[in-house]
Amino acid sequence: MINLFGIVIILIVCPLLGAIPLISWITYALSGKQLAKVGTGNISVAAAFYHGGKLAGSICVVSEALKGVGVVTIAQYCFPSQPVWELIALIALVIGRYVATKGAGITNVSWGLLAHDPMVAAFVSLLAAMGFLITRSKETIKLGVLVIFPLFVGIIHSQDILRIIAAATLSGLIYWIYSQIPDDMNLPVEEAALESQPMMEYLNNQERIITLDDDLDGEVVGAKAATLSQIKRWGYAVPKGWVLPAGEDPTVLIDFLQPSPLSPLVVRSSAIGEDSQQASAAGQYETILNVISKVELRQAIAQVKASYDHPSAVEYRHRSSSEDRAMGVLIQQQVQSVFSGVAFSRDPISQQGEAVVIEAVSGSPTQIVSGKVTPEQYRVVVADNEKLSCLQFEGHGKVPEALIKQVAYLARRLEKRYLGIPQDIEWSYDGQNLWVLQTRPITTLLPLWTRKIAAEVIPGVIHPLTWSINSPLTCGVWGEIFSIVLGDRANRLDFATTATLHYSRAYFNASLLGEIFLKMGLPPESLEFLTRGASISKPALDSTLANLPGLTKLLKREIDLDKDFKLDYRQVFIPGLTQLSNVVIEELSLDQLLGRIDLILDLLHRGTYYSILAPLSAAIRQAVLGAKVEEIDNSVTPEVASLRAMRLLAADARQILIAGNYELKPEQVFAQLAETAAGSRILAEFNELIEDYGYLSEVGTDISVPTWRENPQIVRQLFIQLLQAPEAPNLDDSRSEQTNLVQRRVDLKGRVTEVYSRLLAELRWTFLALEQMWLQSGVLTQQGDIFFLKLEEIRRLGINPDVAFKNHIWELIANRRSQFIQDSQIPQIPPVVYGYNPPHPIKPVIDSSDNILLGIPASQGQIQGRVKVLRTLQEAHNIDKNTILVVPYTDSGWAPILVQAGGLIAEAGGKLSHGAIIAREYGIPAVMDVRGATYLLQDGQQVQIDGYKGTVEIL
């Protein structure tokens, strides 16, 4: 009979025992050092010796030995005749140890094996000791032990197959862990605890030479060397190189290298903190060329190290708020350059567009960095797609055009490798190979701001009042969600910078979001994957495991989302909305209006939590379960529910009206309906529908946009359009169980959207009442003024509207209104913005030679028709089923226009956007995320769109 109790003990208690950070507690108690914040951050016996000293390390050895012996003893007690469980217990212990503390658990395993099988442990220990005395190589001994251990188990216990498999699994697990974590034993000996330094010197006296072929840690050897080793392993051409970590004696490396006039070396800085996203340190440290002897090599190394303390370098670190760290040294074979230079994957001056800027000279690239030679200037506009083609070439000189193009493609490929972060690349060409000498972020172009997703969440040109409310709500709730996973690691992140306004449009901080998702153990493009169906890279397993407790908490929130919302709906949202709707806003005093705003904002804060998590939850379920968007019913979503209700009314009205009369003008149709009792009933239901859905607007998240209740004409036009339009296709109600699991979340998303939209409408109507009061008292001068104020300014104006402040407010409103109008007239804003102060946007260069545009397939079907470009709803006219609408984005208020068209092309959006949902509802082919569509396509142009493939063909 299976011992279930024993299995539970081993699989739960052993990992938990491994996760207890005794080493950290012991070291902190004896030395005051927190191992997670020093050295490599690993909580290991080696770290305890290195940072805490001999006493701390020795006690930690005992504590970890007891853990190893303890789990083996537990397994022996639970399974006295099945020794394989002793190895499984050690595996469970090691997993818990690694996930919680980033330790390998070697001490646990060594002593545990001694308790498990003394004979095997003795043989392996003896061979390891002899091997270390001979080779003095820790890496060789580690690998040897991991191979010898399962081999000995196989020899001694050849009949116990499960035991052999468990031993091999344990060795494989430890090997994998070793490949994932750095070792404190490799840190500079000089920085170890004083009493531990002799032991560290003995253990580190391996005379091992570090090369760029190794997997290097930037915190040990500097970012320059670590980056070059990374791109070399990616397959890029990087000159052969050797690395001298900070504080290490160069003698061994100097003895090994053989510089000569025929094989000169270059000695370069690789300071810790150099070439980072925070500070490039470009030109601050020495680079020594043409090193042709061992004497010159020693002098060059000393000179490069000394440059770290040069006054200008110290001042640079002070200005850039960089910590004083240490100087590593990189030595490389010198490329005999025919041409060389630097390349910027994005123009650091214009800070936008697709141009790669290249500076080139004949000979060494250091001439450019030093400023001694004026380089030739080139600009290459590169198509932002997979094939990388040249759209535009500027500049002329001695460097061949083909080589400059290759450098441009190299720059753009490296940028993609580094998740879209613009790169400053140093390159050299020797007549045969194009070498990468360095790549680092262009710090002046950070952070990256993106319109993707932001264009859907809060589209269009945004008033200051809308932003002053939406930004803290959205950024604050995102911060709360991220903090669930990250815990204390979220403390240093500034979630207030999650989004900002450029050109009066919302942008998300792609750099911050990428950093957050990486910290969470998820790919940096996770948000785009979840909300727009984009491709996603594989997350790093070790990072995901490290964040498993936080991700588990977030998963529990997702599982409980429906239950939590129902509870809040009954106890918070319904009472709040009832209280708001039972008041005549126009009769409220100034203080009551301000109090009403605070009440709505409190409700919105809770609602924002659901408005973020519900769509994400639906997207996660859809992605994981593979549910087809065509099978999902969005009828609970307010814009779809209102359309369906109106469609039923239109069908009833079609039976009453004389054939063809519903093609009359709206006023005539409504007048004819009023002539009969049945028609009057339809009109009453229509007015009731406007009342029920009066909170909807053209842009659901923008309180400056009039609602249906304020402007019912758009609803009347939609009703007439539905009268004239053919019946919408019947949707197939048959769904798989996977789709039903997604459907429940989509329904929740719809209910959340209704609550959130109602609250925003109540907020808008409250501000309008406040504005009317101030217009009458002279505090404001014209309609719409209040939307050019920020929330804190409105509060201050309500508390103390003194003359000086009112004059200041009038000036603010005038300036902001002028800026708003100016920004509204920008025909095309860039999808990506670099830095904090982007310049006025220029029209980007996009390859228009290809007659196929690519996007995201959002609604199935094919159609050919004429283009109608709509940048705002006010431009909508003469739209029919032969019209293919081309829009910058779609929101809930666009539904009346979309249902009139035969097809839809949108610059922003994905399969879950408003436009995609409406298009699927009415069987309209749609392609979303077609970059530059509103200015690549022109009114009257004939195109064919394919909603299956996501293509737009210009005919």
Side-chain angles (χ1 to χ4, degrees):
M1 181 178 177
I2 298 175
N3 186 350
L4 293 177
F5 177 76
I7 294 174
V8 170
I9 289 292
I10 288 175
L11 297 184
I12 294 179
V13 172
C14 293
L16 291 177
L17 186 62
I20 299 174
L22 289 178
I23 296 174
S24 178
W25 297 343
I26 292 168
T27 305
Y28 183 74
L30 295 177
S31 68
K33 292 183 179 179
Q34 296 182 359
L35 293 182
K37 297 182 179 180
V38 296
T40 65
N42 297 341
I43 299 174
S44 63
V45 170
F49 272 110
Y50 185 91
H51 301 287
K54 287 183 180 179
L55 179 60
S58 300
I59 296 175
C60 289
V61 168
V62 174
S63 71
E64 296 308 293
L66 290 175
K67 281 187 184 182
V69 173
V71 298
V72 170
T73 303
I74 291 172
Q76 289 171 343
Y77 175 78
C78 296
F79 299 95
S81 61
Q82 300 179 54
V84 65
W85 283 101
E86 298 168 24
L87 295 177
I88 294 173
L90 286 173
I91 292 171
L93 178 74
V94 169
I95 291 174
R97 179 96 162 72
Y98 173 71
V99 169
T101 65
K102 285 292 186 294
I106 291 298
T107 307
N108 306 124
V109 172
S110 299
W111 288 88
L113 290 178
L114 187 62
H116 164 71
D117 193 328
M119 183 180 295
V120 170
F123 269 118
V124 172
S125 299
L126 180 62
L127 287 176
M130 291 173 60
F132 183 75
L133 290 173
I134 296 170
T135 67
R136 298 293 299 278
S137 171
K138 296 197 303 289
E139 300 302 321
T140 302
I141 297 307
K142 285 178 185 176
L143 184 60
V145 166
L146 294 176
V147 172
I148 291 170
F149 164 60
L151 184 63
F152 270 32
V153 172
I155 293 172
I156 297 175
H157 306 286
S158 57
Q159 303 302 315
D160 195 342
I161 301 300
L162 292 179
R163 192 170 181 177
I164 297 170
I165 294 172
T169 302
L170 180 58
S171 285
L173 175 64
I174 294 174
Y175 176 77
W176 178 82
I177 291 174
Y178 267 135
S179 69
Q180 301 300 310
I181 61 175
D183 189 351
D184 287 79
M185 299 293 284
N186 292 330
L187 294 175
V189 173
E190 295 80 2
E191 298 178 13
L194 190 62
E195 58 186 14
S196 297
Q197 286 185 8
M199 178 179 65
M200 296 296 168
E201 287 177 356
Y202 176 78
L203 293 175
N204 279 315
N205 186 23
Q206 303 169 45
E207 301 187 356
R208 180 180 177 276
I209 295 173
I210 302 172
T211 75
L212 290 181
D213 294 317
D214 299 323
D215 185 0
L216 302 180
D217 184 353
E219 290 297 308
V220 177
V221 299
K224 182 184 293 180
T227 299
L228 286 175
S229 75
Q230 182 180 55
I231 64 175
K232 195 172 193 291
R233 284 180 283 111
W234 283 343
Y236 291 90
V238 175
K240 190 172 183 179
W242 303 266
V243 182
L244 187 67
E248 191 167 297
D249 188 344
T251 302
V252 173
L253 184 57
I254 293 172
D255 290 342
F256 173 78
L257 295 174
Q258 301 294 327
S260 70
L262 295 177
S263 181
L265 301 176
V266 55
V267 181
R268 313 172 66 192
S269 65
S270 185
I272 298 173
E274 182 183 3
D275 291 352
S276 67
Q277 290 193 24
Q278 290 71 38
S280 68
Q284 296 301 316
Y285 307 123
E286 289 280 358
T287 296
I288 312 297
L289 299 173
N290 296 311
V291 176
I292 59 174
S293 69
K294 291 181 181 292
V295 174
E296 289 183 3
L297 180 57
R298 185 177 293 277
Q299 292 173 346
I301 291 172
Q303 193 171 340
V304 169
K305 285 184 175 181
S307 68
Y308 190 78
D309 296 318
H310 192 278
S312 63
V314 173
E315 176 61 24
Y316 174 84
R317 293 197 296 272
H318 176 72
R319 289 198 314 271
S320 60
S321 301
S322 303
E323 296 180 17
D324 285 336
R325 306 288 288 278
M327 172 68 83
V329 178
L330 172 62
I331 303 164
Q332 289 180 276
Q333 286 184 340
Q334 185 168 314
V335 176
Q336 301 304 311
S337 304
V338 178
F339 300 109
S340 57
V342 295
F344 302 97
S345 65
R346 302 284 165 170
D347 190 338
I349 305 300
S350 70
Q351 300 186 19
Q352 56 187 298
E354 305 298 325
V356 177
V357 177
I358 299 169
E359 297 180 346
V361 295
S362 299
S364 168
T366 56
Q367 301 173 88
I368 297 177
V369 179
S370 66
K372 296 176 181 177
V373 175
T374 302
E376 298 171 3
Q377 301 276 346
Y378 300 90
R379 282 173 60 88
V380 183
V381 178
V382 177
D384 192 10
N385 53 35
E386 293 300 323
K387 64 183 180 182
L388 290 180
S389 57
C390 175
L391 301 182
Q392 187 176 319
F393 187 95
E394 299 175 10
H396 62 276
K398 298 177 182 179
V399 186
E401 181 175 322
L403 175 59
I404 293 297
K405 287 181 180 179
Q406 287 303 313
V407 172
Y409 301 152
L410 170 68
R412 193 55 55 81
R413 283 195 296 267
L414 282 171
E415 178 187 274
K416 287 187 175 183
R417 276 286 193 171
Y418 285 103
L419 307 173
I421 296 174
Q423 296 291 304
D424 169 2
I425 297 148
E426 191 175 316
W427 59 273
S428 184
Y429 177 68
D430 63 3
Q432 291 184 326
N433 295 316
L434 177 60
W435 298 94
V436 181
L437 304 183
Q438 180 175 306
T439 185
R440 59 190 173 202
I442 306 176
T443 53
T444 57
L445 296 185
L446 294 175
L448 272 67
W449 303 94
T450 176
R451 276 287 284 165
K452 286 188 176 181
I453 308 171
E456 295 179 66
V457 175
I458 181 165
V461 190
I462 302 169
H463 287 77
L465 178 56
T466 297
W467 188 249
S468 70
I469 291 169
N470 284 29
S471 179
L473 279 175
T474 304
C475 296
V477 172
W478 270 118
E480 293 172 15
I481 293 171
F482 291 140
S483 296
I484 293 172
V485 180
L486 296 176
D488 293 340
R489 289 174 297 159
N491 293 339
R492 72 175 191 83
L493 296 172
D494 185 5
F495 295 113
T497 63
T498 303
T500 193
L501 287 184
H502 294 300
Y503 319 118
S504 296
R505 274 87 162 186
Y507 283 81
F508 278 171
N509 188 336
S511 302
L512 177 63
L513 290 176
E515 180 185 358
I516 290 170
F517 281 117
L518 285 173
K519 284 180 178 292
M520 291 170 63
L522 301 172
E525 66 274 16
S526 294
L527 185 60
E528 193 170 333
F529 162 73
L530 293 174
T531 56
R532 305 175 66 254
S535 60
I536 190 169
S537 59
K538 185 179 179 182
L541 179 61
D542 58 337
S543 183
T544 303
L545 289 174
N547 288 281
L548 205 54
L551 292 172
T552 303
K553 292 179 185 177
L554 193 59
L555 178 61
K556 186 177 186 307
R557 294 285 187 101
E558 192 278 337
I559 294 171
D560 294 340
L561 197 61
D562 194 42
K563 179 187 70 176
D564 292 342
F565 178 73
K566 287 178 179 177
L567 183 64
D568 278 343
Y569 188 77
R570 291 194 305 269
Q571 297 182 357
V572 178
F573 295 126
I574 289 298
L577 285 168
T578 302
Q579 178 184 343
L580 292 170
S581 60
N582 288 338
V583 174
V584 179
I585 302 178
E586 291 74 17
E587 296 178 357
L588 297 179
S589 67
L590 174 61
D591 289 340
Q592 288 173 325
L593 287 173
L594 293 175
R596 179 183 173 91
I597 290 170
D598 290 334
L599 169 62
I600 297 172
L601 290 177
D602 286 341
L603 293 171
L604 277 172
H605 184 271
R606 187 61 182 163
T608 302
Y609 168 80
Y610 292 109
S611 73
I612 289 175
L613 271 193
L616 286 180
S617 173
I620 291 171
R621 292 191 175 201
Q622 182 178 334
V624 171
L625 298 173
K628 296 179 180 179
V629 292
E630 294 79 12
E631 296 179 352
I632 296 172
D633 179 11
N634 290 280
S635 59
V636 179
T637 304
E639 59 262 37
V640 175
S642 63
L643 276 175
R644 291 192 177 183
M646 209 175 304
R647 190 171 67 203
L648 293 174
L649 279 179
D652 291 342
R654 197 179 291 114
Q655 302 300 319
I656 296 171
L657 294 169
I658 301 171
N661 275 7
Y662 50 78
E663 295 183 2
L664 300 172
K665 294 180 180 180
E667 296 78 10
Q668 295 171 315
V669 170
F670 281 90
Q672 185 172 334
L673 285 172
E675 294 174 359
T676 64
S680 298
R681 178 184 57 80
I682 290 175
L683 290 180
E685 291 182 19
F686 178 78
N687 291 329
E688 185 178 341
L689 185 145
I690 291 180
E691 185 64 28
D692 289 343
Y693 294 100
Y695 56 86
L696 293 176
S697 69
E698 175 186 335
V699 183
T701 52
D702 191 345
I703 61 171
S704 67
V705 178
T707 60
W708 283 9
R709 191 176 84 174
E710 300 164 60
N711 183 22
Q713 184 60 29
I714 191 171
V715 192
R716 294 164 67 91
Q717 291 172 347
L718 174 59
F719 183 70
I720 299 300
Q721 179 65 29
L722 292 174
L723 276 173
Q724 299 169 349
E727 289 290 332
N730 292 323
L731 298 176
D732 183 6
D733 289 332
S734 62
R735 298 189 185 93
S736 63
E737 181 59 31
Q738 289 89 344
T739 303
N740 287 330
L741 289 172
V742 177
Q743 185 63 57
R744 287 195 281 272
R745 277 297 181 264
V746 173
D747 291 344
L748 173 63
K749 173 187 170 186
R751 295 194 297 273
V752 169
T753 300
E754 179 188 353
V755 169
Y756 200 74
S757 299
R758 286 185 182 276
L759 288 171
L760 286 175
E762 291 288 353
L763 187 62
R764 169 179 167 78
W765 297 331
T766 305
F767 279 121
L768 288 178
L770 186 61
E771 181 185 59
Q772 193 60 38
M773 179 183 295
W774 281 345
L775 286 171
Q776 294 174 0
S777 63
V779 175
L780 299 178
T781 59
Q782 60 176 303
Q783 295 282 349
D785 274 359
I786 198 164
F787 296 109
F788 290 100
L789 294 176
K790 296 179 181 178
L791 180 61
E792 60 271 20
E793 294 164 350
I794 290 174
R795 286 190 172 126
R796 182 179 171 188
L797 200 58
I799 295 171
N800 182 26
D802 58 79
V803 175
F805 187 59
K806 281 198 296 185
N807 291 336
H808 173 64
I809 286 296
W810 291 341
E811 184 180 353
L812 268 181
I813 291 173
N815 291 337
R816 289 172 181 170
R817 189 187 295 273
S818 174
Q819 185 64 53
F820 183 85
I821 293 172
Q822 180 181 332
D823 289 342
S824 302
Q825 294 171 347
I826 298 173
Q828 188 68 35
I829 63 168
V832 177
V833 163
Y834 304 101
Y836 288 100
N837 298 296
H840 190 80
I842 58 174
K843 184 176 180 180
V845 178
I846 289 189
D847 187 4
S848 57
S849 60
D850 194 343
N851 66 337
I852 300 290
L853 306 179
L854 300 178
I856 295 175
S859 180
Q860 294 181 358
Q862 294 178 329
I863 190 171
Q864 179 178 325
R866 68 178 187 278
V867 164
K868 173 65 178 177
V869 178
L870 288 184
R871 291 186 175 86
T872 66
L873 278 181
Q874 287 68 38
E875 301 172 6
H877 55 81
N878 298 328
I879 297 172
D880 56 33
K881 288 301 176 181
N882 291 318
T883 304
I884 295 180
L885 290 180
V886 182
V887 299
Y889 62 88
T890 57
D891 208 320
S892 54
W894 289 70
I897 306 302
L898 300 183
V899 298
Q900 302 176 40
L904 172 66
I905 302 169
E907 287 187 323
K911 295 179 180 180
L912 306 179
S913 63
H914 295 279
I917 291 171
I918 297 298
R920 289 194 295 270
E921 176 78 7
Y922 282 87
I924 301 169
V927 181
M928 319 299 286
D929 197 39
V930 181
R931 187 177 181 197
T934 57
Y935 59 92
L936 278 178
L937 300 175
Q938 300 174 2
D939 285 350
Q941 199 170 20
Q942 289 288 319
V943 300
Q944 177 172 306
I945 67 175
D946 189 329
Y948 299 97
K949 299 179 180 177
T951 60
V952 178
E953 182 179 2
I954 303 172
L955 302 176

